[in-house]
Amino acid sequence: MDNAFVRAFRTPELRNKLLFVLGMLAIYRFGVFVPTPGFDYTNIAACTEQALNGAGGGVLGMVNLFSGGALLQMSVFALGVMPYITASIIVQLLRVVIPKFEELHKDGQAGQATLTQYTRYMTIGLAVLQSTTVITLVRSGAFFAGCNLPLVPNQSWWMLVLMILTMTTGTLVIMWLGELITEKGVGNGMSLLIFTSIAAGFPASFGQILKLQGWMTFSIVMLIGMIIVIAVIYVEQSQRRIPVQYAKRQVGRRLVGGSSTYIPIKVNQAGVIPIIFASSLLALPQLIASFGDQRSGWVQWIHANFVLGQGFSWTYSLVYFALIVFFAFFYVSITFNAEEIADNMKKYGGFVPGIRAGRPTARYLEYVINRVLSAGSLYLGILALVPLIAFALLGADQKFPFGGTSLLIIIGVGLDTLKQISSKLQQHHYEGILR
């Protein structure tokens, strides 16, 4: 890895791309600390401290993770990349419901450009909706549970509109930075922004564990972390390769085809999406309970079983695990179209050895993906429970740095970026030989 980065910085073209990426990430981190006008930041800091020491799971913790801590600081980048991620997932899921979206997906680069434009428009709408929701919750005192300090001194309509516009504009700037990194830098821009947000919280998490639990717990956490990182890298790189052969065809005077390749099916085909879906869904009981009588039995039962920070809950853990497994199968069933792959193979003369082309190939692909996904979904569920187990056994708080979501993103983005750097280095090496 070190040699790859050193060689990249020695190559002028790659060095400029990497420096550009670092510059964009620095601008992004600077925006995390730029305050949104209208908030009382002294009271915000006090309520944030209380929120971090209490229950902070669910959607609040997830969005704050992806925003690099900007959400709890109420900065101009408070919403982070979540509106864009949500819009991208919605557009992807709409391909199943709306035939027009599926046609655009198959239209190549022009169709993808149209879908990207739809994603941008939807991001704007979601940013307005989410910023309005956040500001409304902060004004009512429901955002920071148990904190009754005045957080928005000036509640005139023009100030509220200014706050909404500021947060929405911050989201658009993040989207613009991500697209600039993808176009002119190395790696996927949005993924690198998320990577930076999560990595920025690691030093504080390590320092908090060391300060509160001491060197012994800190050493155990680091040892467990190294084991988890090695295991995650191993699983993320694992794939089931389905061999595909192409028959020879006569095209004009040339004989083409006759080659062999494979279809790679990753063990974790769904990525981090099932964890995000499950966390969002499990935040609903807590949200519903916040509107009920806090002394009633059902509200207290929800707080005892579905609110993180109240101790280890077997009910929460089992439901969380089951939801992750369900969403893993649900998401892959939408994104992995076995019939489309089988039809494309048949069109170009490809076939799986021992399997007839067409419908039998589609059934075989579905059988393989379900078997691989069975192991992948269990892996995702176990990985997502690591912070809860650490909280129960080690006394580490919910900011446990080696959580499932953060590790999957950090390792996935790191490996993908490293592959792109190596690919560009190899391409540059070939260009040097040709000259």
Side-chain angles (χ1 to χ4, degrees):
M1 186 182 297
D2 291 338
N3 292 334
F5 277 106
V6 170
R7 286 187 288 120
F9 273 99
R10 287 176 180 172
T11 306
E13 181 184 356
L14 267 180
R15 181 173 63 243
N16 293 336
K17 288 180 177 291
L18 291 174
L19 291 176
F20 178 80
V21 171
L22 292 175
M24 293 296 100
L25 295 181
I27 294 174
Y28 171 67
R29 287 306 299 169
F30 174 76
V32 169
F33 300 99
V34 176
T36 300
F39 290 108
D40 187 328
Y41 280 89
T42 303
N43 293 340
I44 288 286
C47 292
T48 300
E49 184 71 21
Q50 181 177 339
L52 291 176
N53 293 330
V59 174
L60 178 62
M62 185 66 66
V63 178
N64 191 59
L65 173 70
F66 287 141
S67 67
L71 175 64
L72 294 182
Q73 298 182 43
M74 296 300 161
S75 71
V76 294
F77 288 171
L79 301 181
V81 298
M82 282 302 290
Y84 185 84
I85 293 175
T86 306
S88 301
I89 295 173
I90 291 174
V91 170
Q92 197 169 18
L93 295 178
L94 285 178
R95 285 169 42 198
V96 183
V97 183
I98 304 177
K100 177 65 176 177
F101 279 66
E102 185 64 26
E103 293 176 8
L104 289 173
H105 176 70
K106 296 179 179 179
D107 279 347
Q109 188 174 359
Q112 292 294 335
T114 304
L115 288 177
T116 301
Q117 198 66 21
Y118 289 161
T119 304
R120 292 170 181 164
Y121 293 145
M122 194 171 295
T123 300
I124 297 175
L126 288 174
V128 173
L129 178 63
Q130 291 184 17
S131 59
T132 304
T133 303
V134 168
I135 293 171
T136 302
L137 291 174
V138 171
R139 288 177 60 203
S140 64
F143 191 85
F144 297 103
C147 184
N148 299 319
L149 298 174
L151 303 179
V152 186
N154 184 359
Q155 300 198 13
S156 59
W157 68 268
W158 62 268
M159 177 56 73
L160 297 178
V161 171
L162 176 63
M163 295 165 72
I164 294 172
L165 288 177
T166 301
M167 286 189 173
T168 303
T169 304
T171 300
L172 299 184
V173 171
I174 292 174
M175 182 173 65
W176 177 64
L177 290 176
E179 293 183 354
L180 276 181
I181 293 174
T182 303
E183 180 182 353
K184 299 182 179 181
V186 178
N188 182 278
M190 283 298 171
S191 298
L192 285 173
L193 292 180
I194 299 173
F195 177 95
T196 305
S197 300
I198 297 173
F202 272 44
S205 300
F206 289 137
Q208 191 174 16
I209 293 174
L210 181 60
K211 180 180 178 181
L212 298 179
Q213 273 82 34
W215 279 101
M216 181 61 70
T217 302
F218 178 78
S219 301
I220 295 174
V221 168
M222 293 300 294
L223 179 61
I224 294 175
M226 291 300 297
I227 296 173
I228 294 175
V229 167
I230 293 172
V232 170
I233 292 176
Y234 178 79
V235 176
E236 289 299 309
Q237 295 288 82
S238 301
Q239 56 183 225
R240 167 77 157 85
R241 296 181 175 182
I242 300 177
V244 178
Q245 293 183 354
Y246 286 91
K248 293 183 179 181
R249 295 181 298 154
Q250 186 78 28
V251 179
R253 295 184 177 182
R254 293 186 305 166
L255 194 64
V256 299
S259 60
S260 60
T261 182
Y262 60 86
I263 300 174
I265 298 179
K266 296 179 62 177
V267 173
N268 181 22
Q269 189 78 9
V272 74
I273 299 300
I275 298 179
I276 297 176
F277 282 1
S279 300
S280 302
L281 195 60
L282 277 178
L284 292 179
Q286 180 181 350
L287 180 62
I288 295 173
S290 64
F291 295 101
D293 186 1
Q294 300 301 311
R295 294 172 295 180
S296 61
W298 68 273
V299 171
Q300 294 180 5
W301 184 85
I302 288 178
H303 280 293
N305 293 280
F306 285 96
V307 177
L308 296 179
Q310 307 296 325
F312 183 80
S313 170
W314 281 106
T315 304
Y316 183 95
S317 301
L318 293 175
V319 173
Y320 190 32
F321 183 86
L323 286 175
I324 290 173
V325 173
F326 168 76
F327 281 122
F329 279 92
F330 173 75
Y331 184 74
V332 172
S333 68
I334 293 175
T335 56
F336 186 88
N337 193 331
E339 291 188 3
E340 180 182 350
I341 296 174
D343 290 341
N344 289 335
M345 289 169 54
K346 185 177 181 180
K347 184 187 302 182
Y348 294 102
F351 62 94
V352 178
I355 307 295
R356 288 195 305 169
R359 181 59 186 164
T361 299
R363 286 199 299 266
Y364 176 74
L365 292 176
E366 291 173 354
Y367 168 74
V368 173
I369 190 67
N370 286 332
R371 287 190 62 186
V372 174
L373 190 57
S374 298
S377 60
L378 294 177
Y379 150 78
L380 268 182
I382 293 172
L383 189 62
L385 292 180
V386 167
L388 303 181
I389 298 172
F391 177 69
L393 299 180
L394 300 177
D397 71 352
Q398 295 168 61
K399 299 300 177 182
F400 183 70
F402 299 107
T405 308
S406 58
L407 272 187
L408 279 175
I409 295 173
I410 288 286
I411 293 174
V413 175
L415 291 174
D416 181 64
T417 305
L418 185 60
K419 287 179 181 177
Q420 290 199 29
I421 292 175
S422 300
S423 175
K424 291 183 180 295
L425 279 174
Q426 193 173 17
Q427 181 182 0
H428 184 271
H429 177 68
Y430 287 150
E431 289 176 354
I433 293 176
L434 291 174
R435 290 171 187 168

